Amino acid sequence: MTEININNTFGDLKKVRFPAGLKKLSYSIVSEFYAKQCSGDFAVLNDSMLIKYKGKDKHVVLPQNITELLDHCFAESDLSHIVLNDKIKEIPQACFRGCKSLIEFRFPETIHTIQKYAFYECSNLKKVVLSEGIREIRAYAFSGCPLLSEITLPNSLEIVENDLFSKDVRFESFTIPPLLDNNSFHSNH
């Protein structure tokens, strides 16, 4: 078995055990339940997949053994600064959703995709430093971030979905790579 997708349909679930070879776990009540069973700041599956950050630290350095982030894994946490390791390739859906203390985010050069709602409602996010190598940014990735004032989109960017930013965002600095046309941002003015 390499993948399990489970929805919120388990009323009185008491224990969850995952197979050792599990490679993907979709966000669900089961992953939240599993995270509650784990001790320490990081709820990790198979020593490599971060299910949930449970710590209270404002400055977080992601351990080197973590190679994948699960959807929502940092959502609603109080972190203000995070350093991802160079093994992370994707920012999953709603990964940092609602991190109201997050002010600046710098992407490591290994990231190639930012999924939908990745930074949704990070209401104090002001600056985003995207690295070369990012190829895709999905819809609503930075929506609900009204203080975002500085971003440079990398030349490596190939796909930008609509409604990337909040409609009320007021950029001081916004650089679009030459290969993208302004039509990619028509619903973001």
Side-chain angles (χ1 to χ4, degrees), residues 99-105 119 121-128 141-142 144-149 169:
C99 290
K100 300 194 184 314
S101 297
L102 193 61
I103 295 170
E104 180 177 328
F105 193 90
F119 293 87
E121 294 185 343
C122 289
S123 56
N124 288 303
L125 186 63
K126 294 178 183 175
K127 181 178 181 180
V128 172
F142 298 101
C145 303
L147 299 181
L148 187 59
S149 62
V169 73

Side-chain angles (χ1 to χ4, degrees), residues 20-83:
L22 184 68
K23 294 194 168 90
K24 182 160 179 69
L25 179 69
S26 295
Y27 179 78
S28 68
I29 195 169
V30 174
S31 58
E32 284 292 318
F33 180 81
Y34 178 80
K36 288 178 184 174
Q37 292 181 22
C38 296
S39 61
D41 289 347
F42 298 94
V44 179
L45 179 64
N46 292 337
D47 199 37
S48 63
M49 181 190 307
L50 179 63
I51 292 177
K52 185 79 175 166
Y53 173 69
K54 304 183 325 175
K56 302 292 182 207
D57 292 339
K58 290 201 169 276
H59 296 274
V60 175
V61 176
L62 193 67
Q64 286 296 314
N65 63 301
I66 296 175
T67 60
E68 184 178 356
L69 304 175
L70 185 67
D71 296 352
H72 302 262
C73 64
F74 286 100
E76 307 291 331
S77 67
D78 200 30
L79 60 89
S80 61
H81 184 295
I82 183 165
V83 177

Side-chain angles (χ1 to χ4, degrees), residues 81-84 91 96 102-114 119 125-134 137 142 148-157 165 171 173-175:
H81 184 295
I82 183 165
V83 177
L84 298 179
I91 304 296
F96 295 98
L102 193 61
I103 295 170
E104 180 177 328
F105 193 90
R106 295 179 178 272
F107 288 84
E109 293 189 11
T110 55
I111 301 292
H112 57 75
T113 304
I114 303 168
F119 293 87
L125 186 63
K126 294 178 183 175
K127 181 178 181 180
V128 172
V129 180
L130 297 168
S131 60
E132 283 299 328
I134 294 177
I137 305 177
F142 298 101
L148 187 59
S149 62
E150 185 177 339
I151 192 168
T152 299
L153 300 178
N155 290 324
S156 58
L157 203 54
F165 307 105
F171 286 108
S173 175
F174 184 81
T175 306

